[in-house]
Amino acid sequence: MSAPAPSASRDLLDRPLQFMKGVGPKRAELLERLLLKTVRDLLYFFPSAHKDRASVTPIDRLRLGQEANVRAQIVDMTSRRVAPGREIVIATLQDESGCIDGVWWNPYVADKLPPMAWAFFSGKITKNKRGLRELSNADFEILTSGEADDEEVAAASSAGPASPSFGRIVPIYSLRPKQRRPDGTEPPEVRLSQAFIRRLVWRALEDGAAAGLKDDLPEGLRKGRELLALPEAVRRYHFPESSAEVEQARRRLAFEELFVLSLGVALRREEVAKHEAARRLPLTPAIQQRIDARLPFQLTPAQARAFREIAADLEGARPMNRLLQGDVGCGKTAVALSAMLLAVAHGAQAVLLAPTEVLAEQHLRTFSKLLEGSRVRIGILRGGAAAAERRAFLAELEAGAIHIAVGTHALLEPDIRFKDLALAVVDEQHKFGVEQRRTLRAKGKAPHVLVMTATPIPRSLSLTLYGDLDLSIIDALPPGRGEVVTKLVKEADRAKVYKLIISEARAGHSSYVVLPRIEGDGVAAAEASDTKKPTSKKAPKGLWSEVKGVEEEVKRLREHLPTLRILDLHGRMPSEDKDRILRMLREGKADVLVSTQVIEVGIDLPSATVMLIENAERFGLSSLHQLRGRIGRGGLKGWCLVFGAPTTDGGKDRLKAFASTNDGFQIAEADFRLRGPGQFFGTEQSGLPELTVADLLRDQRLLQEARDDAFALVRQDPELVAAPHAALKRRVGEVFLKDERLGRVDVG
Ligand code: ADP
Ligand code: MG
C-alpha cells in the first residue's frame, strides 16, 4: 500500500512549499522569488545542468585541476588564521589509497566535520603555496558518525547513500530569479543552497508527488515517439541514474514544449484555411506578358521560381499565406510587384506595407516609374498626411480608384477600407508582428497574403515563428552585383578611410556614414535618441562615453572634409525632409549621407559604394548585414568599413562573424547562436514563447518530429474538441495568450 492514490498525490502537488519539512517562512519567501510556491512548481523547476558525482576517485589518483569526488575519513582537523579576521579550516582526508588536505575558507565548516567520520567530498583539486595539492571548498556530506565500527563504514561505503547530492548524477539548479528588476538589471542569485533545493525536490519525489502529474500528451503519440511518461520523465530529469536517462528525460520534456508550440502554429495555419474562399487570380499568358513588359529586366531563375509559386497560390481558392525569404538585394520587390500586378489585372486591389516612411516612399517611386503610362494607379498614405490629403486617399481607396496602396503602419488603422483587396504584401516582415498580418487580412474578403523578409532565418525559427506560412526562397542575387569588401578598421586608419570616401566621391559615387544615435554623448537629451540610453545614471565610462551621434558627426565631417557635400538623415525628420535628402543623393547632388539605422531597411541607391559604420559594437549582427546590403547595388565594387570597440566577448565575436562572411544565412545562424532565439529579432517581437527545456538550435530534429505530430493531430481534429485533446488545447491557449506578440491563437 505504499503507492499513494492518484488523488492524494494530486493534493500533494498543490501543497504550499512552506509546509514541507525544512522550509520555514524565510526560505518559503526565498523560494517564491524563484516563482516556487507549490510542490508542482518545484517539480517543474528543472535543473539547468547535471553534475556527475557518481564515480569516486581514489586520493592517490587525483589530478590537479580536476573536479573530483572523494570518499574519505576525516582523520585530523585544524583551523588557522591567515589574515586578521580570516580563518581557514584544514582537514586531513584519508582513504585506502592516501591522504589529501581539504581546505575551506569558512570557519563554520569546522563544526560540521566530526573527527573520524567518513564523508563524501566534491570539489576542485588545486595547489597551495607550498606546491601541495589540496581539495578546496568542497561540498560534502557526512556518511557515518565518528564512532562508526567497520561494519557500518563498509555498509555506508558500498551501498552508496540514498542522497540527493552525492554518489550519483546530481542536478544543478539556476538560482537566479527570471524577473528583471525595475531598472532592468539582473537580480542576484537567491541565497538558497543547491543542496537545499535538491533535498526538497528529492523529498517531494519520495512522497510520490510526481505520480499526480497528468500527462497531456496523447498516449498513442507518446508511444509512437518512444517518449517517457511524464511522471517518470520528471523524476529522472531531476535525479537520473545515468547520463542516458538525462537525455531520455530531457527529450520527453523538450518534445512536449515543442509540440505545444507547434500545435499553436498548426492551429493558426488552420485558422487561415478556414477563412471563406479567396478570390481566384489565375495567371494567363496575356497577363504574364503585360507584367513582363513593365519590368526593366528579366526575373532571375530564383525570382521566377518564387513568382511561379506565388501565382499558383493566387490561382487557388485557399487564401495564400506565404513567406518570401531572400537575402538583402535579391530582388524581392520585383516579385511582389509582379504579384500585385496580377491582382490588379483581375480588377482587384493590392496593398504593400513597409516598416518605414522612407521605404514606403522608395517603393512608391520605383513602382511609379515602372508603371508610367499604364492605367494602374498607385497611392501612398503618409504617416504625417494632412487631414484633407488623408481623406482623399481614403475615398479613392474605398472607391477602388487606387489599385495599389503603399504605406506604413498607418494603413492598418480601422478607418482604412478597400473596395476589393485581394492581395496584401508585407515588406520586411520581421519588423511587424503576427497581429498586424491578421489586421491586414481583415481588410479584404479573404485576401491573399505575402510576407517578405530579408532576414534569413535558421530553419528551426522558420518552423516556429513562421511555421504557419508556406515558404518561397530566392537564393541567388541578380546579375551585376558588385563585390563588397568588409573591413574592421582601427582609429589609426581613419585618414585612409576618409581618403577613400573622397576618391569615391570624385568618381561620382556616394558613401553612407551610419551612427547608432541622432545625438552623441556630448548632448544631454537622452530621450531624443533613436536607440535607448541605459537607464542607470552611472553607466560605465568607455562603454557609453564615446557613442557618436549624427548631429555632431555631420558638423565634424563638414569641417574635416570641406570639399564634400554632406547631408544627414534620421528617423525624427519630417518625411518631406527625408524625401528631399534622398532625392538629392539619387540625383548626385550629395556625396555623403550621415544617418542612423533608419537606412538599414530597403534603401536602394545604385551609386552607393562605401558604408562606414561607427560604434559598430552597438549594432546587432543582422542590422550590420542589412546596412552592408545597401552598397554594391549598381554593380560597383563596395567597401563596408567598420569602426568598433567591443567591450564584451559577445561583441567581439559578433564583429568577427560579420567580417568573415557576406552570406546572409551564415550571418543569421551566427546571430542566432550568439544572442539566442529570444533576442534574435530584438526583444520587442521575438515572437517566441519561452522554452525551458527545449533548445531550438540543438533540438531541430525533435522540433520536426513534434511539428509533424502536431500538424497530424490538427488535421485529424482541427478544433481539438476530442476529450483527450482538451488539456492540450488549454495549454496552447496559455502559451499563446501569455504573450500577445505571438498573436492570439483561436482556441475557442
Ligand atoms: P530586396 O530583395 O533586398 O528587397 P530589391 O528588390 O530592392 O532587393 O532589389 C535590389 C536591386 O536589384 C534593385 O535595384 C532592383 O532593381 C535590382 N533587381 C531586382 N531584380 C533584378 C533582376 N532580375 N535583374 C537585374 N536587377 C534586378
Ligand atoms: Mg526590399
Side-chain angles (χ1 to χ4, degrees), residues 49-55 167-171 228 232-233 235-250:
H50 292 84
K51 221 177 202 169
D52 189 354
R53 287 187 178 173
S55 53
R168 58 173 314 116
I169 296 178
V170 300
L228 293 177
E232 196 50 38
R235 265 193 296 270
R236 289 192 200 178
Y237 203 41
H238 286 289
F239 292 106
E241 295 299 330
S242 65
S243 49
E245 278 197 13
V246 179
E247 194 39 42
Q248 252 182 349
R250 203 192 73 83

XYZ file of all heavy atoms in Angstrom, residues 49-55 167-171 228 232-233 235-250:
251
model
N 21.501 22.068 -15.413
C 22.620 21.190 -15.774
C 22.674 20.034 -14.787
O 21.931 20.036 -13.802
C 23.932 21.969 -15.727
N 23.520 19.079 -15.083
C 23.742 17.982 -14.151
C 25.243 17.822 -13.931
O 26.032 18.181 -14.797
C 23.170 16.674 -14.702
C 21.680 16.649 -14.777
N 20.982 17.177 -15.834
C 20.758 16.174 -13.913
C 19.682 17.029 -15.622
N 19.511 16.420 -14.468
N 25.585 17.303 -12.767
C 26.989 17.073 -12.465
C 27.153 15.619 -12.101
O 26.334 15.075 -11.366
C 27.365 17.951 -11.260
C 28.707 18.601 -11.395
C 28.951 19.497 -10.211
C 29.982 20.551 -10.542
N 30.052 21.579 -9.515
N 28.212 15.013 -12.631
C 28.422 13.603 -12.341
C 29.189 13.442 -11.032
O 30.389 13.661 -10.972
C 29.183 12.946 -13.498
C 29.228 11.436 -13.316
O 28.770 10.948 -12.241
O 29.702 10.744 -14.229
N 28.473 13.051 -9.987
C 29.148 12.763 -8.718
C 29.004 11.273 -8.401
O 28.952 10.872 -7.252
C 28.526 13.589 -7.603
C 28.903 15.051 -7.679
C 28.391 15.780 -6.460
N 28.779 17.177 -6.499
C 28.342 18.073 -5.617
N 27.512 17.712 -4.663
N 28.741 19.315 -5.706
N 28.864 10.508 -9.463
C 28.626 9.080 -9.261
C 29.917 8.339 -8.980
O 29.967 7.457 -8.142
C 27.933 8.490 -10.479
N 30.977 8.711 -9.683
C 32.190 7.913 -9.515
C 33.174 8.622 -8.600
O 33.363 9.830 -8.665
C 32.825 7.681 -10.884
O 32.996 8.918 -11.511
N 27.260 10.710 -4.675
C 27.247 9.319 -5.107
C 26.327 9.069 -6.279
O 25.868 7.956 -6.492
N 26.035 10.111 -7.062
C 25.114 9.956 -8.182
C 25.286 11.137 -9.146
O 26.108 12.021 -8.907
C 23.691 9.954 -7.649
C 23.364 11.262 -6.871
C 21.901 11.351 -6.484
N 21.101 10.993 -7.618
C 20.306 9.911 -7.645
N 20.170 9.168 -6.593
N 19.641 9.623 -8.728
N 24.536 11.142 -10.210
C 24.463 12.344 -11.042
C 23.537 13.305 -10.326
O 22.402 12.950 -10.003
C 23.909 12.002 -12.432
C 24.881 11.047 -13.144
C 23.712 13.277 -13.253
C 24.404 10.608 -14.498
N 24.028 14.491 -10.040
C 23.203 15.411 -9.255
C 22.738 16.598 -10.111
O 23.434 17.017 -11.036
C 23.958 15.942 -8.014
C 24.353 14.791 -7.112
C 25.159 16.762 -8.429
N 21.559 17.110 -9.825
C 21.042 18.253 -10.579
C 21.653 19.564 -10.097
O 21.983 19.699 -8.925
C 19.546 18.228 -10.259
C 19.447 17.592 -8.904
C 20.595 16.613 -8.817
N 9.024 8.905 -22.626
C 8.693 8.515 -21.258
C 7.353 9.115 -20.846
O 6.952 10.160 -21.347
C 9.752 9.057 -20.294
C 11.165 8.499 -20.381
C 12.049 9.250 -19.385
C 11.159 7.008 -20.070
N 7.573 9.858 -14.872
C 8.880 9.215 -14.976
C 9.933 10.211 -15.498
O 11.046 10.288 -15.011
C 8.746 8.022 -15.939
C 9.864 7.016 -15.881
C 10.161 6.555 -14.459
O 9.197 6.399 -13.668
O 11.350 6.377 -14.158
N 9.539 10.969 -16.500
C 10.471 11.935 -17.085
C 10.879 12.980 -16.049
O 12.048 13.355 -15.947
C 9.834 12.611 -18.294
N 10.815 12.693 -12.735
C 11.694 12.064 -11.737
C 13.122 11.939 -12.263
O 14.081 12.308 -11.616
C 11.174 10.657 -11.407
C 10.275 10.622 -10.174
C 10.058 9.187 -9.705
N 9.336 8.387 -10.687
C 8.005 8.273 -10.713
N 7.254 8.907 -9.828
N 7.417 7.546 -11.633
N 13.232 11.404 -13.475
C 14.581 11.140 -13.999
C 15.340 12.408 -14.346
O 16.561 12.432 -14.314
C 14.493 10.264 -15.246
C 14.082 8.862 -14.902
C 14.280 7.955 -16.070
N 13.464 6.762 -15.890
C 13.394 5.780 -16.787
N 14.069 5.863 -17.901
N 12.638 4.746 -16.557
N 14.605 13.461 -14.739
C 15.335 14.672 -15.098
C 15.976 15.292 -13.864
O 17.067 15.835 -13.929
C 14.413 15.669 -15.803
C 15.186 16.643 -16.658
C 16.270 16.217 -17.424
C 14.852 17.990 -16.697
C 16.997 17.099 -18.201
C 15.573 18.885 -17.482
C 16.639 18.433 -18.226
O 17.362 19.307 -18.996
N 15.280 15.194 -12.736
C 15.889 15.709 -11.507
C 16.995 14.777 -11.006
O 18.093 15.217 -10.710
C 14.828 15.866 -10.416
C 13.911 17.028 -10.634
N 14.322 18.327 -10.481
C 12.610 17.081 -10.997
C 13.302 19.144 -10.741
N 12.249 18.408 -11.058
N 16.686 13.487 -10.930
C 17.652 12.547 -10.360
C 17.854 11.334 -11.261
O 17.333 10.264 -10.984
C 17.184 12.125 -8.959
C 17.253 13.252 -7.970
C 16.094 13.879 -7.535
C 18.481 13.711 -7.506
C 16.160 14.947 -6.641
C 18.547 14.767 -6.614
C 17.385 15.398 -6.180
N 18.616 11.514 -12.322
C 18.849 10.416 -13.263
C 19.832 9.392 -12.692
O 20.677 9.732 -11.871
C 19.469 11.127 -14.467
C 20.134 12.327 -13.879
C 19.303 12.749 -12.716
N 19.677 8.175 -13.149
C 20.624 7.136 -12.741
C 21.824 7.068 -13.690
O 22.831 6.449 -13.377
C 19.929 5.767 -12.721
C 18.821 5.633 -11.674
C 19.335 5.807 -10.243
O 20.502 5.473 -9.989
O 18.566 6.314 -9.405
N 21.687 7.636 -14.870
C 22.790 7.601 -15.842
C 22.648 8.797 -16.771
O 21.603 9.445 -16.797
C 22.703 6.315 -16.668
O 21.514 6.350 -17.438
N 23.689 9.059 -17.549
C 23.566 10.206 -18.453
C 22.572 9.893 -19.571
O 21.957 10.806 -20.131
C 24.928 10.607 -19.014
O 25.602 9.480 -19.505
N 22.393 8.611 -19.886
C 21.388 8.256 -20.886
C 19.994 8.653 -20.382
O 19.145 9.113 -21.145
C 21.432 6.765 -21.185
N 19.780 8.498 -19.089
C 18.481 8.884 -18.530
C 18.259 10.385 -18.581
O 17.137 10.842 -18.760
C 18.371 8.398 -17.076
C 17.971 6.956 -16.986
C 17.453 6.580 -15.599
O 17.166 7.485 -14.776
O 17.329 5.385 -15.342
N 19.317 11.159 -18.405
C 19.181 12.612 -18.517
C 18.627 12.945 -19.899
O 17.661 13.697 -20.046
C 20.538 13.340 -18.351
C 20.366 14.843 -18.499
C 21.183 13.002 -17.031
N 19.227 12.340 -20.921
C 18.840 12.662 -22.284
C 17.425 12.184 -22.601
O 16.645 12.886 -23.227
C 19.872 12.064 -23.259
C 19.781 12.592 -24.687
C 19.467 14.085 -24.800
O 20.030 14.889 -24.035
O 18.622 14.441 -25.655
N 17.108 10.995 -22.100
C 15.751 10.452 -22.289
C 14.704 11.395 -21.704
O 13.688 11.692 -22.333
C 15.642 9.148 -21.505
C 15.595 7.902 -22.322
C 15.434 6.710 -21.371
O 15.562 6.822 -20.152
N 15.143 5.577 -21.965
N 14.972 11.828 -20.485
C 14.012 12.674 -19.787
C 13.921 14.036 -20.468
O 12.838 14.573 -20.692
C 14.432 12.835 -18.332
N 15.069 14.557 -20.830
C 15.100 15.862 -21.483
C 14.351 15.821 -22.805
O 13.589 16.725 -23.134
C 16.549 16.278 -21.734
C 16.762 17.776 -21.893
C 18.153 18.086 -22.436
N 18.227 17.745 -23.827
C 17.802 18.539 -24.810
N 17.301 19.730 -24.534
N 17.862 18.150 -26.068
